Amino acid sequence: VQLHQSGGGSVSAGGSLRLSCAASGHSFSPYCMGWFRQAAPGKEREGVATRAPDGDIAYADAVKGRFSLSQDNMKNTLYLEMDNLKPEDTGVYYCAAAHGLYDCWSSNLANLARSWGQGTQVTVSS
């Protein structure tokens, strides 16, 4: 599956942004899909949220209550709605996918994903 990201941008603290990850080539339903972010080049990529093939969703503690995943099956697109953004949410965000991965948590997805989006910048100013 190929992943194409859109969305992102710059916002003040407390604002909202939405990221999109459109999958092409295959239906994304049987995939573990998720979002990661990298605060700066050379820093470790951090898991943000994942959605398992059975629909289970998990969020990193840092974003619980502020970020939410949703999907449009007709558009084969995964969305990350980010509310109440904080400066520490700044970074490049990536979506990723791994086929048939039911143990769909970030560490597994990071290691096993064969598809990654191109990355999109999110900047939150204080």
Side-chain angles (χ1 to χ4, degrees):
V1 68
Q2 292 79 45
L3 303 178
H4 179 73
Q5 297 177 221
S6 59
S10 298
V11 67
S12 299
S16 298
L17 288 170
R18 188 175 80 160
L19 305 181
S20 300
C21 177
S24 62
H26 297 278
S27 168
F28 70 172
S29 295
Y31 285 78
C32 162
M33 297 190 69
W35 290 94
F36 295 81
R37 64 188 182 189
Q38 188 173 24
K43 288 203 170 184
E44 188 174 348
R45 196 171 290 186
E46 172 191 20
V48 175
T50 56
R51 187 228 67 190
D54 59 6
D56 281 353
I57 294 175
Y59 298 97
D61 288 343
V63 306
K64 278 182 183 175
R66 301 188 298 120
F67 290 14
S68 63
L69 280 180
S70 63
Q71 63 188 53
D72 185 328
N73 292 333
M74 292 296 293
K75 295 182 178 180
N76 224 29
T77 299
L78 185 74
Y79 301 101
L80 181 67
E81 184 72 41
M82 305 181 291
D83 297 319
N84 191 21
L85 282 160
K86 303 177 180 181
E88 52 264 41
D89 295 318
T90 293
V92 178
Y93 283 67
Y94 299 89
C95 63
H99 186 271
L101 179 62
Y102 282 84
D103 293 332
C104 183
W105 45 83
S106 293
S107 57
N108 268 358
L109 182 57
N111 290 329
L112 298 175
R114 292 194 173 185
S115 301
W116 289 87
Q118 78 275 21
T120 186
Q121 178 71 43
V122 170
T123 303
V124 185
S125 58
S126 57

